[in-house]
Amino acid sequence: MNSHRNGREPLTELRVDRERCIGAGMCVLTAPAVFDQDGDDGRVIVSAHAPAPDQEAAVREAVHHCPSGAITVVSVR
């Protein structure tokens, strides 16, 4: 499991299903520090599987707005 620079364990972990992703890009627009799109097929790429605490609200909003439901947030508390 990844830990942050301050040594604390992350509060959430992201999982994505690239086969389910339709490349709408809502995640990238909502949380650009955490998500990107593959230049070849437009599908989601996660740049931070364990987002920083200050990104958690944006990540949860991105999950909510994902039209295909390809992103899942798992609590690791």
Side-chain angles (χ1 to χ4, degrees), residues 9-71:
E9 290 296 318
L11 301 177
T12 59
E13 182 178 313
L14 293 173
R15 296 187 185 149
V16 297
D17 182 345
R18 285 181 45 88
E19 295 302 315
R20 191 171 185 177
C21 177
I22 62 171
M26 294 304 297
C27 55
V28 179
L29 293 172
T30 307
V34 179
F35 300 103
D36 201 354
Q37 283 182 283
D38 188 307
D40 293 328
D41 62 13
R43 293 181 190 176
V44 65
I45 297 172
V46 179
S47 46
H49 282 278
D54 65 338
Q55 293 295 315
E56 286 191 29
V59 167
R60 291 186 187 282
E61 187 174 338
V63 170
H64 174 74
H65 290 295
C66 179
S68 65
I71 307 166

